[in-house]
Structure formats: structure tokens, C-alpha cells
Amino acid sequence: MNLRPDPNLSPSSPPLLVAERLAFSRGARAILHGIDLTIRHGEIVALLGANGAGKTTLLRLLMGFLKPSAGAIRLEGEVLSTLSARVAARRLAYVAQVHTIAFPYSVRDVVLLGRLPQNGLLHAPSDDDRTLAQTILEEIGIGHLADRPYSEISGGERQLAMIARALAQATPILVMDEPLTGLDYGYQIRLIDHLERLSREGRCLIMSTHHPEHALWSATRVILLRDGRIEADGPPEDVLTPDAILRLYGVDVLRLDGPEGRSTFLPRRRQIRPRMPHK
Amino acid sequence: MMSTLSCTDQPIRREPLWQTPVITLLLVITIATALTIGRYPLTLGDIAEFCLAMLHLKPMEAARFDLLYNLIIEIRLPRVLAAGLIGAALSISGGAYQAVFRNPLVSPGLMGVLAGASFGAALGMLVASHWWLVQVLAFGFGLGAVLLGVVIANLFGSATMITLILGGMISGAFFTAALSIIKYTADPYDQLPAIVYWLMGHLGGIELKDIFVLAPFVLIGSILLSLLGRGLDALAMGEDEARSLGVPVLPLRYGVIALATFISSISVSFAGMIGWIGLVMPHFARVIVGPGNERLLPASAALGAIFLIIADGFARNLWRAEIPVGIMTELFGIPAFLVVVYRARKGWA
């Protein structure tokens, strides 16, 4: 059973996901325009932008949940909108922002749903699937929650369960909308570690985040989204400058470069300047 | 990633299921017991003896055989089977609706099927002299009301969960108003009591030949719904999640609504308005077998059958005259609903 994407794929392999001149508008309001993206194996792409910049919309477009008003998305060379839901689900997995379920499914059952695209609607998960689900839960640090009802665990734990479910899909691409939000500090750092491990296996991760530090620590590539456009796209240490943070959030920061190649931002005292005016 | 593989050398197996045999046994006991009660009481021994005689395994005196044949096969069995099938249909369609709308407090009437069927039946009693026409109109308007709700939902732009509920509410309100018009214009001495009685729900008029119509639809519908159970589990995670799991959300949603509407509509056309089963029984099933729809839906059907057979047993025998079974399900349903709300409230936080 091949559950992992091929680890031998190098960054020089053909691109996994390509978006060309992507645009999306709701009524007369343009939300995204002129988005060009090429995403390859092993990349961890962090999407940063102020509230309302279009991060979630872009992720939902990449998933095929929304139809672009212009442009196209190609997944391993094939146009996303022509793929069946099940075929797409074997290549793309998705973690939404924290949500609730009305019925008391166990965490294990939620994770096992990740095997649905492989098994099809009519086949029950196999014993191998169960073993895989348990392994993923242990790796992500919530093995002890496997038998608890999803509706009764905390928001952060639910987020982790949803990530585990997406991992169970064993797709080459994992799209996550703010996966770190709502997790306690320990889970955040451990999840960042885990994401790095996944990318070393050749998986591609695309996630939005509100914390520039998270992007600095986990991403191999950062995309800054502002007013529905890509403002910058490149390695985190190049893109995430104090100047960029100021333009994006209107916050004045110092960047401190520490040991082990890690950096952090320190907001200066007395932030009185307003956010940079839009356009 | 595999490097941190921990205590999972043993494959994780699913636990053995005790629920299926227990529920099946309960259903058989309920049916057998229901056959014994009535104006002419029988014992379970009589039933067993008669079954053996039917199978030519044990001889039985001809006069006694004829009596039992009349009592069991011609009178009681159609009624008990009808109660079982209709209870199953209402309960499983309630469970299916709850899954599609991701809400444990939804009943089969949500999309307007009951309002439409009531209107159709009342219209039939107003204009027609044939009982079969009443049934056809009830069935047709039950489907029509849901279809109207779906059309209205699409007028709002897209058929999301919310627009479907709104569409169903509007369609239901329309047919409720139309029903009032019919009640108002109906002959108060003859037609109006018939309409009111029909709206209370009844199993009295059902004959063996009706079972042959009802059974295939309810059984096939229930099997199809249960087969879609895993897709419904994915849908319970949310629309985007279901799509990301490769589930075709819109076809699944419409398919399940169509199947649930079809079997609840056909049940209503035979038995009138029987409330609460579709709301309450899926909850009991959820407590027993868990929320996974592929097991929950068949369990709901079985429990719905058991519930209506018992309710009908009381309806037939509690009083000298028969009590409409819809009243019984309401009386039993209210305390059951309290239990349900008490349990469901945990998820409301």
C-alpha cells in the first residue's frame, strides 16, 4: 500500500500546482486579481496578509471550491475544474479554519474519513487504514484522543484532528487555512516541526497564517497578499522584512536574527501609526 | 514520519458488533408480540404453532388453522407490517435529513413533505370519491412540495443548506395555508372530519396488498440511503470538507433528499400524519450504534419500526375504540424528545 508521496521527487520535478492569471470577484467586488503561482514538491508556502486580503479565498480557489472568474489552475498538468471530486481529493487535502460537527463522531472516525478518496463511498476502512489513522494521531500528538467524541474535545484539539484527517488522505498537496491558530504554544511548535518533516518527504504544504514568525520558522517560501494581489513572493528571510510587515499590517517591528538560523519580530513600543492606506 | 511509529505494531481492528443481532432480535420479538394482542388474545405459543403449521412442519386442526390464518395473516400481519414499514421509513428519512442538514433537531417534515402530502390528501377527499386518488394526491403533493422548496432554494442563487431550509419552510407554509383553505371550504359534516381524522395518522385501512406496494419502496429506499451513509458522514464534516474528501456534494445532497422524501411521502400517503418518529428515533439509534450513518440509518429504520409497532399496539388496544396512532406517537414522542434535547444540548456549546 503506497500511502506516502514519492520521497525521491526533487524540487526540479515538474510543478505540482500552477495558477495562471487567477482572478475572483464577488458581484462587482474584485477579491483577487492577477494571481500567478507555481508550486513545487517539498515547498512549504506560507500565505500572509491582513484580514480580508483574500487568503481564504485564494486557498478555496486552489482547492476548486470556488470557480475563478478568470484564469485557470492546473494540478500536475491537468486543469483542476475538469477533474472529478474524487480524483482531486487524492491529490489535494484541505484543513479549514476550526469548525464544529453536530454529531459525536470519534476522533478516530473523523481521521478515517481521510481514507474515503482512496476507498470510495462503498468500502469500509481496512485494518491498515485504522493502523495508519492511529499512527498519524500519535505522530501529531493526539493519539490519546482517538476514542473521544470530536464534538467534546477543545477547539485546538479539533484543529489537530482535522489536520490528522487531511494527512490520512496521503495527498502530495496539503492546503491549510490557519492551521496554527487556536493551538497552544507547545502544539504550535510541534506542528511546525512536523510540517517540516512532511515537506522533507516531498509533500507540498500551502497554508495561511497570521503570525509572521510562523512563516519565518516553517515556510520555505512566503507569499504576501495585499488588496487581492501578490505583493511579494520568495524565501522568508528576503520577503519578511520589517518594511513588509509595516506595509502589510501597519506595525513597526524589529527583526532579530537568532541562533540556529531562526529569527523573530519584536513590535516597537507605542504603535500609533494607522495601517497604511489602501491604494 | 514513519520514524516515530509508536505502539501500533498490532493492526487496529474494529470492535465486534453486538448491536445488530440485539436490534434484530428486538424487532422480531416486537412483531411476534404485536401479533398476539388484540380483541382475541393469542399467546406467543399460538404464533409459533401457527408458523410451524404454515411451514408444514407440524399438523394443525383445520378449523383452528383457519381461525388463526384469518387473525394473523389477514388481519394483524398487514397492520403490524405496515406499522413497521412506515415507522422505518419515517425514522430513516429523519436520520437522513439530519445528516444532510447537519442538524440533530431536523425531522422529515423540514422540506415541506408533510405539509404537501396533507394538502394533497385533503384535496383528494374534497374532490374525489376514490381512496386511491387520495393516496396518489398525498404522495404527489408530498414530492411536489419538496421540489418547490428546492426550486425556491435555487432562486436564492445556490442550493446551500440554509437556502434549502428556507425554501422548504416557504413551500411548507404555502401548503399549510392551502390546506387551511381546503378545510374551510370542506363540508363540515362529512369531509372535514375525514380530513381531520386523516391528519391524526391512522393504520386501520391497510390491507395485505398495500404491503406489496409499500415494502419494496421502503426497503429499497432504506438500503440505498444506508449505502450513501459514508458520504453523509463526510458531509457532516462540512461542505468544503466533504468536497475535499472527494464527495460530490450537490448530487449526494439531492439524492438523499429525493430518497428520503420519496419514502416518507409514500408512507404518509398510506398512513396520514404520524409525527415525532423521524425526529426522535434516529437519536436513540445514535446512542446505540454511534453517529456513523452507514450503521445509524439501518438502526434508525429498525428502531422506528419497533416504535411504531408498539405505538400502534397501544392505539389498537388501549381503548374500546381505536385511537389514531399519530396521537400515540405524539404522546410517546414528547418525553422521548425531552431525552433527546437533553443529550443533544452538549453539542450546542
Side-chain angles (χ1 to χ4, degrees), chain A residues 134-161:
Chain A
Q134 187 63 35
T135 308
I136 290 173
L137 283 170
E138 310 264 348
E139 283 173 350
I140 212 165
I142 52 169
H144 58 288
L145 297 178
D147 292 312
R148 293 271 301 281
Y150 181 88
S151 45
E152 286 172 22
I153 58 178
S154 79
E157 291 166 337
R158 266 185 234 152
Q159 180 79 355
L160 289 167

Side-chain angles (χ1 to χ4, degrees), chain A residues 4 60 65 85 89 96 99-101 104-105 113 121 123-125 127 130-131 134 138-139 165 169 198 201, chain B residues 1-2 4 6 8 11-14 98 102 227 230-231 233 237 240-241 243-246 286 291 293:
Chain A
R4 310 288 170 186
R60 297 187 73 225
F65 298 156
H99 78 318
T100 56
I101 301 179
Y105 289 92
L113 276 176
L121 281 181
H123 293 95
D127 287 344
R130 291 173 174 274
T131 310
Q134 187 63 35
E138 310 264 348
E139 283 173 350
R165 191 218 61 197
Q169 268 175 270
L198 292 171
E201 288 170 11
Chain B
M1 181 160 175
M2 281 308 199
T4 52
S6 43
T8 47
I12 313 261
R13 288 176 197 287
R14 56 169 65 222
Q98 290 173 3
R102 304 180 61 203
L227 286 177
R230 216 176 295 282
D233 291 344
M237 304 290 125
D240 281 354
E241 281 77 1
R243 215 167 301 162
S244 78
L245 289 169
R286 207 170 281 124
N293 283 293

Side-chain angles (χ1 to χ4, degrees), chain B residues 13-296:
Chain B
R13 288 176 197 287
R14 56 169 65 222
E15 64 235 76
L17 309 177
W18 55 267
Q19 295 98 334
T20 312
V22 169
I23 294 176
T24 313
L25 188 68
L26 261 178
L27 183 59
V28 172
I29 292 173
T30 309
I31 291 175
T33 313
L35 290 174
T36 64
I37 54 174
R39 194 129 320 150
Y40 184 101
L42 299 173
T43 64
L44 283 173
D46 294 330
I47 307 275
E49 241 179 281
F50 176 74
C51 288
L52 290 177
M54 282 287 281
L55 296 168
H56 303 289
L57 291 174
K58 204 176 153 207
M60 184 186 274
E61 194 187 324
R64 181 167 149 74
F65 183 83
D66 288 344
L67 172 73
L68 287 179
Y69 186 87
N70 176 261
L71 262 180
I72 296 174
I73 301 294
E74 284 169 355
I75 299 176
R76 288 183 194 166
L77 192 63
R79 175 112 190 206
V80 171
L81 287 182
L85 287 166
I86 288 165
L90 291 171
S91 177
I92 198 171
S93 49
Y97 265 51
Q98 290 173 3
V100 165
F101 292 100
R102 304 180 61 203
N103 185 331
L105 298 180
V106 155
S107 70
L110 180 79
M111 289 290 296
V113 62
L114 298 185
S118 310
F119 168 79
L123 184 69
M125 286 182 249
L126 193 68
V127 300
S129 46
H130 298 291
W131 188 246
W132 64 265
L133 192 66
V134 173
Q135 288 185 341
V136 168
L137 284 174
F139 176 66
F141 275 96
L143 293 188
V146 173
L147 197 62
L148 178 66
V150 171
V151 169
I152 294 173
N154 281 286
L155 291 182
F156 291 123
S158 64
T160 63
M161 218 167 61
I162 301 294
T163 58
L164 280 171
I165 292 175
L166 276 173
M169 272 173 66
I170 293 170
S171 168
F174 170 73
F175 281 104
T176 307
L179 173 66
S180 299
I181 295 174
I182 293 205
K183 279 185 183 166
Y184 185 70
T185 52
D187 171 6
Y189 295 102
D190 179 20
Q191 291 165 335
L192 188 58
I195 293 173
V196 169
Y197 181 71
W198 189 91
L199 288 176
M200 288 176 186
H202 55 87
L203 290 163
I206 289 177
E207 298 167 35
L208 201 55
K209 66 176 168 51
D210 297 329
I211 301 297
F212 292 116
V213 180
L214 198 55
F217 286 114
V218 172
L219 293 178
I220 291 171
S222 302
I223 290 169
L224 290 178
L225 280 174
S226 305
L227 286 177
L228 293 173
R230 216 176 295 282
L232 287 171
D233 291 344
L235 205 53
M237 304 290 125
E239 209 166 305
D240 281 354
E241 281 77 1
R243 215 167 301 162
S244 78
L245 289 169
V247 173
V249 171
L250 268 192
L252 177 71
R253 184 177 282 160
Y254 281 135
V256 170
I257 289 177
L259 282 170
T261 302
F262 193 87
I263 59 173
S264 53
S265 200
I266 198 167
S267 315
V268 171
S269 75
F270 276 102
M273 211 55 50
I274 296 178
W276 294 95
I277 294 179
L279 175 62
V280 170
M281 295 324 286
H283 284 278
F284 284 90
R286 207 170 281 124
V287 172
I288 297 171
V289 303
N293 283 293
E294 144 215 46
R295 292 172 63 207
L296 172 66

Side-chain angles (χ1 to χ4, degrees), chain A residues 163-210:
Chain A
I163 292 169
R165 191 218 61 197
L167 289 174
Q169 268 175 270
T171 53
I173 309 175
L174 191 57
V175 175
M176 295 181 281
D177 200 354
E178 293 182 28
L180 296 159
T181 305
L183 302 186
D184 73 33
Y185 187 68
Y187 277 131
Q188 282 181 13
I189 303 301
R190 281 192 294 272
L191 186 61
I192 286 173
D193 260 16
H194 193 67
L195 297 181
E196 278 180 338
R197 227 178 319 153
L198 292 171
S199 92
R200 280 201 299 276
E201 288 170 11
R203 279 209 228 202
C204 161
L205 310 167
I206 306 170
M207 59 179 189
S208 63
T209 175
H210 277 308

Side-chain angles (χ1 to χ4, degrees), chain A residues 17-25 30-38 58 61-62 67-74 228-230:
Chain A
L17 188 86
V18 177
E20 281 162 352
R21 312 302 305 161
L22 210 57
F24 183 78
S25 45
I31 295 177
L32 291 172
H33 29 130
I35 303 282
D36 283 305
L37 270 179
T38 302
L58 178 55
L61 278 170
L62 295 181
K67 238 180 70 139
S69 35
I73 296 161
R74 273 204 292 275
R229 286 181 192 283
I230 293 182

